[in-house]
């Protein structure tokens, strides 16, 4: 929702001039954070995604989506219990003015992400009254490449002279 306002000024000595301003009343912010420490394949990154209605009207058709992480819980600061979610997207429809949805999402790290050294992830907020907004979070992976070499003698008897075979 928005308010459009136009003002016109005129004098006897000049041509009239107008100025217009549109004020958007339907606003929200979205943020994504994580304090997870990742070291290996299978580690789980936990994200906190918040969507706050900063406007003065309710937002309908509101959603939070994260295609790379599964939403596990979503709550509404305005009460009314949990915000419904299905897999990667919240399914509630209205976020009242001043309310905040807080969702927890998880992602299990893959070998390709360990090899790359980080996991970049984007959450998207949207509503019927607004355009989409995104929040990005990159989690760095502590890489520790290493290997060991072990050599064992499987020969039944110890070699006795130069040229004897050791297996």
């Amino acid at each position: 929702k928005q308010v459009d306002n136009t003002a016109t000024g005129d004098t006897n000595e000049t041509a009239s001039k107008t100025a217009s301003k549109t004020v958007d009343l339907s606003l929200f912010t979205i943020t994504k954070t994580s304090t997870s420490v990742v070291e290996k394949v299978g580690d789980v990154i936990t994200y906190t995604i918040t969507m706050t209605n900063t406007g003065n009207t309710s937002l309908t058709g509101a959603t939070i989506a994260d295609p790379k992480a599964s939403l596990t819980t979503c709550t509404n600061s305005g009460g009314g219990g949990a915000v419904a979610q299905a897999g990667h997207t919240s399914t509630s429809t209205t976020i009242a003015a001043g309310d905040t949805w807080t969702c927890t999402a998880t992602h299990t790290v893959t070998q390709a992400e360990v090899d790359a050294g980080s996991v970049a992830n984007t959450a998207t907020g949207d509503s019927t009254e607004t355009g989409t907004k995104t929040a990005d979070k990159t989690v760095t992976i502590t890489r520790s490449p290493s290997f060991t070499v072990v050599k064992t003698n499987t020969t039944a008897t110890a070699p006795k002279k130069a040229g004897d075979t050791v297996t």
Side-chain angles (χ1 to χ4, degrees), residues 28-32 48-52 61-69 71 74 88-91 101 103 105 121-127 130-137:
F28 72 89
T29 60
I30 185 167
T31 61
K32 183 173 195 170
T48 300
I49 305 164
T50 59
M51 180 175 175
T52 301
T63 59
I64 293 175
D66 190 332
K68 203 171 204 177
L71 299 176
C74 291
H88 301 284
T89 305
S90 65
T91 58
W101 286 355
C103 295
N121 195 351
T122 300
T124 302
D126 198 6
S127 78
T130 64
T132 60
K133 292 184 180 181
T134 60
D136 301 317
K137 179 63 182 173

Side-chain angles (χ1 to χ4, degrees), residues 20-42:
S20 297
K21 179 69 176 172
T22 299
V23 178
D24 192 354
L25 302 177
S26 303
L27 304 170
F28 72 89
T29 60
I30 185 167
T31 61
K32 183 173 195 170
T33 61
S34 178
T35 58
S36 296
V37 176
V38 178
E39 297 177 341
K40 63 187 179 309
V41 171

Side-chain angles (χ1 to χ4, degrees), residues 18-166:
T18 61
S20 297
K21 179 69 176 172
T22 299
V23 178
D24 192 354
L25 302 177
S26 303
L27 304 170
F28 72 89
T29 60
I30 185 167
T31 61
K32 183 173 195 170
T33 61
S34 178
T35 58
S36 296
V37 176
V38 178
E39 297 177 341
K40 63 187 179 309
V41 171
D43 282 356
V44 175
I45 300 172
T46 301
Y47 298 99
T48 300
I49 305 164
T50 59
M51 180 175 175
T52 301
N53 181 344
T54 57
N56 63 2
T57 62
S58 293
L59 300 177
T60 62
T63 59
I64 293 175
D66 190 332
K68 203 171 204 177
S70 295
L71 299 176
T72 56
T73 60
C74 291
T75 58
N76 184 345
S77 68
V83 176
Q85 75 276 343
H88 301 284
T89 305
S90 65
T91 58
S92 284
T93 57
T94 302
I95 181 171
D99 282 0
T100 298
W101 286 355
T102 302
C103 295
T104 301
T106 59
H107 171 74
T108 302
V109 176
T110 66
Q111 184 63 57
E113 292 164 335
V114 172
D115 293 345
S118 65
V119 178
N121 195 351
T122 300
T124 302
D126 198 6
S127 78
T128 303
E129 294 80 12
T130 64
T132 60
K133 292 184 180 181
T134 60
D136 301 317
K137 179 63 182 173
T138 298
V139 175
T140 302
I141 298 172
T142 305
R143 297 179 355 157
S144 304
S146 67
F147 68 93
T148 59
V149 176
V150 177
K151 182 176 181 179
T152 58
N153 176 7
T154 59
T155 304
T157 60
K160 301 206 187 301
K161 63 183 182 323
D164 285 353
T165 301
V166 177

